[in-house]
Amino acid sequence: MTKLVRNYKKLESLFGDDRAVEEDAETAAEIRERNTHLNDLESEIHIGQTIEEIDFLVSQNQANIGGYNVDPESLLNKSSGGKKEKKQKTKKSIDAETINLNESFKIFADAMKESTAQLVKTQQRLQIPESEIWNYLEELQLEEEVQDAAYLYLTNEPAKLGAFIGCPIQRRKTILLTMLRDAAVL
């Protein structure tokens, strides 16, 4: 009580009238008690426990987070409009989330339709079994390595396969070798 505090008048003018009131006010003894409770809680919750185990303890009121016991009903009663306002806000946020979710599903569905349409187009162009492609390549009497590369290339490139099959039989070997060179396969 006898020690002087530097700038007491300035501190008093800044902080003098501010006080915590009602439920937010805590005395030093209450803060120590809360900290003791936190230390007890930390000793109960071992480091090896998972988040799910801690959540279970909290849900069973065997532990609390942050040293505060929160009663959901008391939170509802503190709001300015009471339970009805809370429910209306919740309903509005749920409606907004539902709309966003519906839009996301529509975008996803459109993307799926587009990719399915592209896949169908590709399969329609490639109605030739792979074994038949192999037979076409054997007729050209290519070297084994070139035939393997050409087979893999044509099965992965339906447009090039269409060009290969669409050209005259006597020109297929030349066309195929040109395609493989252009694609840097050979």
Side-chain angles (χ1 to χ4, degrees):
M1 289 178 60
T2 59
K3 291 189 178 183
L4 293 176
V5 177
R6 295 175 118 183
N7 300 318
Y8 180 80
K9 293 285 182 193
K10 291 179 182 177
L11 291 171
E12 184 180 31
S13 68
L14 288 173
F15 303 106
D17 292 334
D18 294 339
R19 302 264 189 270
V21 291
E22 295 180 15
E23 294 176 16
D24 296 329
E26 278 186 306
T27 64
E30 290 171 334
I31 292 172
R32 279 193 301 273
E33 184 181 327
R34 182 169 47 91
N35 287 338
T36 303
H37 179 70
L38 284 174
N39 291 337
D40 293 343
L41 178 63
E42 287 174 2
S43 65
E44 287 178 23
I45 299 175
H46 304 291
I47 293 174
Q49 287 182 317
T50 64
I51 292 173
E52 289 81 14
E53 291 170 334
I54 294 170
D55 285 342
F56 176 75
L57 289 173
V58 170
S59 70
Q60 299 299 314
N61 292 327
Q62 294 176 1
N64 59 47
I65 297 179
Y68 296 101
N69 288 320
V70 179
D71 179 24
E73 289 297 320
S74 67
L75 290 176
L76 289 176
N77 293 335
K78 283 184 185 177
S79 68
S80 60
K83 290 182 183 179
K84 288 184 180 179
E85 182 180 313
K86 183 74 173 175
K87 285 182 182 178
Q88 288 173 350
K89 286 182 181 178
T90 304
K91 186 173 185 201
K92 287 179 183 177
S93 66
I94 289 173
D95 290 343
E97 288 176 11
T98 303
I99 290 169
N100 288 338
L101 190 60
N102 284 340
E103 289 174 5
S104 297
F105 277 128
K106 285 178 185 176
I107 291 169
F108 179 74
D110 291 342
M112 290 297 293
K113 286 178 186 176
E114 186 177 330
S115 65
T116 303
Q118 291 295 327
L119 182 64
V120 168
K121 285 180 185 177
T122 301
Q123 289 177 344
Q124 286 174 349
R125 280 189 264 155
L126 179 64
Q127 291 187 354
I128 300 169
E130 284 84 1
S131 59
E132 195 169 330
I133 296 170
W134 186 259
N135 292 337
Y136 286 137
L137 294 173
E138 281 186 332
E139 290 173 3
L140 299 177
Q141 299 176 351
L142 300 167
E143 294 177 22
E144 191 172 307
E145 291 176 20
V146 175
Q147 185 173 345
D148 293 347
Y151 175 77
L152 293 173
Y153 178 74
L154 292 174
T155 54
N156 288 324
E157 298 290 336
K160 300 296 183 180
L161 175 61
F164 171 73
I165 292 176
C167 72
I169 295 173
Q170 61 274 18
R171 303 274 313 179
R172 281 187 182 164
K173 186 173 185 175
T174 307
I175 298 286
L176 178 63
L177 294 174
T178 304
M179 279 192 254
L180 293 175
R181 272 190 232 110
D182 290 347
V185 175
L186 289 182

